Amino acid sequence: MASETLRRPGMPYKLIIFDFDGTLADTFPWFTGVLNDVAARYRFRRVEADEVEGLRGLSARQLLVHLGIPAWKLPFIARHMRRLATDDGEPAPIFPGSDAMLRDLHQAGLILAIVSSNTERNIRRALGPELAGLFSHYACGAGLFGKAGKFRQIARRAGIEHEDCLCVGDEIRDFEAASDAGMAFGAATWGFTSAAALQALGPAFLFTRIEEIEARRLVEAAPPERPEGAVRRKAHLPRMVKQIAPEADR
């Protein structure tokens, strides 16, 4: 059961946990470029160019239903895509401004971490030695719906209470995982999921530019007020969608 994120007035965030793909690295073009080859290999529905934008409003579970991907195929597809990312030669491009943003947070004394479905090797290669060294903790290779446990693991390692953690990501599943872990969520609107879909979740922060993730703003942050009708825990999805990958949530 997800828990509300409760913070005392004036208490700054201490641990910032970043997603990688779509948040720090611009991997959406690569993802859409390889998706249909993966669809042919694992026999799920192709995605046509004219439907890509519409799919950006779906959660991961809704997308699985749309593509007709059964839960038992997920580990095989994830492993294949990680291998493709490793074998594609050039590392994933980092979004412009990410380097300055990460340095700003680090210099302010905030603890930085990465939780990602991608591999640590791919992430370090993309960041380069300097930026990779700014992160104190990595928890990589997370399952599609396995990030909440990784968030808790990172908080334990860092010795930080969950209410003092902010998870920054670009997908609805990132929000769901943060909520399950009792952590605040900052939505990055430049990644996989549309800004409108992320805003509907009522995140603690709605970042529209990387430059908006700044130490001063996070240290001085007041407890967020959710807009009327905002989703407080997991997104309310149809029953059939929630059942698509029950064992993947464990």
Side-chain angles (χ1 to χ4, degrees):
M1 180 69 68
S3 60
E4 296 296 335
T5 301
L6 302 175
R7 304 184 67 245
R8 296 186 293 278
M11 174 180 285
Y13 293 103
K14 299 175 182 177
L15 171 62
I16 315 299
I17 305 175
F18 284 92
D19 171 52
F20 180 72
D21 294 291
T23 301
L24 294 177
D26 187 9
T27 51
F28 190 66
W30 175 86
F31 176 79
T32 56
V34 303
L35 183 60
N36 283 336
D37 287 340
V38 178
R41 181 184 181 101
Y42 290 96
R43 298 183 181 180
F44 59 84
R45 188 178 180 276
R46 287 175 54 87
V47 174
E48 303 304 327
D50 61 356
E51 63 179 326
V52 170
E53 191 58 32
L55 296 180
R56 293 183 66 237
L58 301 182
S59 70
R61 289 182 177 83
Q62 289 171 318
L63 185 59
L64 292 177
V65 171
H66 179 80
L67 297 179
I69 301 176
W72 67 267
K73 285 188 179 181
L74 287 178
F76 302 100
I77 294 172
R79 190 179 306 119
H80 179 68
M81 295 195 76
R82 289 187 194 113
R83 186 166 61 247
L84 286 178
T86 301
D87 294 344
D88 269 358
E90 290 298 317
I94 300 301
F95 283 110
S98 295
D99 51 352
M101 177 270 293
L102 292 172
R103 291 188 192 101
D104 172 56
L105 300 183
H106 185 262
Q107 288 170 4
L110 293 166
I111 301 171
L112 305 183
I114 287 182
V115 171
S116 174
S117 300
N118 210 326
T119 67
E120 185 171 340
R121 176 187 174 190
N122 287 342
I123 293 170
R124 285 184 176 276
R125 195 162 63 106
L127 291 173
E130 182 198 351
L131 291 184
L134 300 181
F135 291 90
S136 301
H137 306 281
Y138 288 80
C140 302
L144 191 63
F145 302 110
K147 282 191 169 183
K150 298 285 189 183
F151 289 161
R152 297 185 190 100
Q153 180 187 88
I154 290 289
R156 282 196 302 271
R157 276 196 231 157
I160 302 297
E161 298 295 332
H162 292 193
E163 62 266 27
D164 298 332
C165 302
L166 176 69
C167 304
V168 180
D170 66 310
E171 295 186 62
I172 293 171
R173 67 187 178 105
D174 296 326
F175 163 79
E176 293 175 346
S179 296
D180 278 354
M183 298 177 182
F185 178 66
T189 61
W190 50 83
F192 284 33
T193 305
S194 68
L198 291 170
Q199 186 173 24
L201 302 173
F205 297 93
L206 187 73
F207 299 117
T208 60
R209 298 180 299 113
I210 284 179
E211 291 77 13
E212 293 176 0
I213 307 175
E214 55 181 353
R216 178 186 58 80
R217 186 178 182 190
L218 301 185
V219 169
E220 297 174 358
E225 292 184 6
R226 295 180 183 273
E228 187 69 25
V231 179
R232 291 182 176 268
R233 292 185 172 88
K234 285 195 174 183
H236 297 291
L237 305 178
R239 184 179 182 85
M240 66 176 292
V241 176
K242 289 185 178 181
Q243 292 176 341
I244 187 66
E247 68 276 5
D249 275 326
R250 295 171 188 167

